[in-house]
Amino acid sequence: MFTFIALMLVGGLCGYILHNRAIPNAMMIITWLVYALLLSLGVEVGANKILMSSLHTIGIYGAVIAVASTLGSCLCAMLLWHRVGNKVKQGKGKRDVDMPKENSSLKGSVVIIGFFAMGIILGVSDVVAETYVRDVSFAVLCVMLFFVGFGLGSKPAMLKRFRSLNPRLMLLPLATIVGTLSACILVSFFMRYSVTNVMAVGSGFGYYSLSSILISQSLGAELGTMGLLCNIVRELIVLLGAPLLARIFGPLAPIAAGGATTMDSTLPVIMRTLGEDFVLLSMFHGFLVDFSVPFLVTFFCSL
């Protein structure tokens, strides 16, 4: 736990110090590290016959946690909006914001699933030794955490933009976290997993790549796979159902439901649903929730 957190903090410090010196192809490096880690997770799953026989059950559990987490965060966001929403004014959010393409997140999810499935095939066919994969994946994870921290720390300009947000709405990341974890506690009573295990899975907040690998390293491939499926489902809920969430739970709901993804992959659909006024809030929310993922996941894995 402390190793992972320390690596991210060191990376963040280096990113802050060297924010004017960009690392060439840093995002591409992180992307391929993610692919390598999910490939290794697939190998572990494929090599475990007992786990393979219960993969469909794990998927159902993951979907249940995803739906419950989404609803919990939406309910807390609705309460926050009723409390402060009518008393605040949003400024125009689309200033100096690089908007990702809307189809990039769906394409990224397909690629992620493809590498995971490829790993399962390799594991089933015994082409790669499982023990060797675990050693390599741990080293790759350490490098990836450093780069993730570096990426967050190298954005001081974004932190300055966040200062223009209304302080009342800065509680939204907290509402997302509280709603998600409360829902995880409730559904854990109907599962064969411990409360802390379910909370570790839910603490991915849609950040399926990093959270699933952290969970698999600490709790094994079964819960790592559940975390992967759970957080992919959570992201897809926002991508496909943002207008419905906004209509039922209020304008903050799609942002809360998106969790850590609202700074990047779900940002286009949130802007299309809510308008430009909520872009800056969405980025602020995604930034803080994204930063909380490795801390919360590793914390609940250690309990």
Side-chain angles (χ1 to χ4, degrees):
M1 170 182 175
F2 295 107
T3 301
F4 296 152
I5 293 174
L7 282 168
M8 193 168 177
L9 289 175
V10 170
L13 180 61
C14 292
Y16 182 79
I17 295 173
L18 303 173
H19 64 270
N20 292 323
R21 302 178 184 178
I23 295 180
N25 302 317
M27 289 306 299
M28 184 63 69
I29 293 173
I30 293 176
T31 299
W32 281 102
L33 288 174
V34 169
Y35 292 160
L37 288 169
L38 290 171
L39 183 71
S40 69
L41 176 59
V43 171
E44 287 189 56
V45 173
N48 190 322
K49 295 181 179 179
I50 297 177
L51 182 54
M52 282 296 294
S53 65
S54 60
L55 193 58
H56 64 288
T57 306
I58 294 172
I60 294 173
Y61 279 137
V64 169
I65 297 173
V67 172
S69 299
T70 302
L71 291 177
S73 59
C74 285
L75 286 171
C76 284
M78 182 176 66
L79 293 174
L80 177 63
W81 181 251
H82 285 314
R83 180 73 176 176
V84 304
N86 296 327
K87 302 176 183 179
V88 300
K89 293 182 179 180
Q90 282 287 103
K92 291 294 180 181
K94 193 180 178 183
R95 40 182 183 266
D96 303 323
V97 175
D98 296 324
M99 298 294 294
K101 297 179 180 179
E102 287 199 43
N103 63 349
S104 62
S105 53
L106 286 173
K107 180 181 177 181
S109 297
V110 171
V111 174
I112 286 287
I113 294 173
F115 273 91
F116 179 64
M118 191 188 307
I120 290 179
I121 294 172
L122 291 174
V124 170
S125 58
D126 294 325
V127 174
V128 183
E130 182 185 355
T131 53
Y132 174 75
V133 168
R134 285 189 64 85
D135 293 338
V136 173
S137 64
F138 178 79
V140 174
L141 175 60
C142 291
V143 176
M144 191 184 98
L145 283 172
F146 175 84
F147 273 101
V148 169
F150 188 96
L152 292 173
S154 62
K155 299 174 181 177
M158 184 179 294
L159 293 174
K160 292 180 181 178
R161 290 203 302 270
F162 291 160
R163 294 175 185 173
S164 64
L165 281 173
N166 191 293
R168 293 173 181 269
L169 292 180
M170 286 187 179
L171 293 173
L172 184 57
L174 179 61
T176 297
I177 294 172
V178 171
T180 295
L181 297 182
S182 299
C184 289
I185 293 172
L186 289 176
V187 297
S188 68
F189 293 109
F190 305 96
M191 297 184 174
R192 59 184 176 87
Y193 300 95
S194 68
V195 175
T196 53
N197 286 353
V198 175
M199 293 175 80
V201 170
S203 294
F205 301 110
Y207 197 166
Y208 49 78
S209 54
L210 178 59
S211 62
S212 61
I213 300 303
L214 288 172
I215 294 169
S216 65
Q217 286 287 334
S218 300
L219 302 177
E222 180 177 347
L223 282 164
T225 302
M226 189 187 300
L228 173 65
L229 299 176
C230 167
N231 289 291
I232 286 178
V233 169
R234 178 164 184 166
E235 182 182 57
L236 290 176
I237 289 173
V238 180
L239 292 172
L240 301 176
L244 182 63
L245 293 175
R247 189 159 57 247
I248 296 174
F249 298 101
L252 298 184
I255 302 176
T261 69
T262 60
M263 190 174 63
D264 40 63
S265 61
T266 59
L267 183 59
V269 73
I270 287 171
M271 188 187 76
R272 192 181 64 208
T273 302
L274 304 177
E276 294 182 0
D277 288 357
F278 287 87
V279 169
L280 197 59
L281 175 62
S282 180
M283 294 183 67
F284 168 76
H285 172 270
F287 183 87
L288 286 190
V289 176
D290 187 308
F291 189 74
S292 75
V293 170
F295 295 94
L296 291 175
V297 170
T298 53
F299 173 71
F300 289 122
C301 285
S302 67
L303 296 179

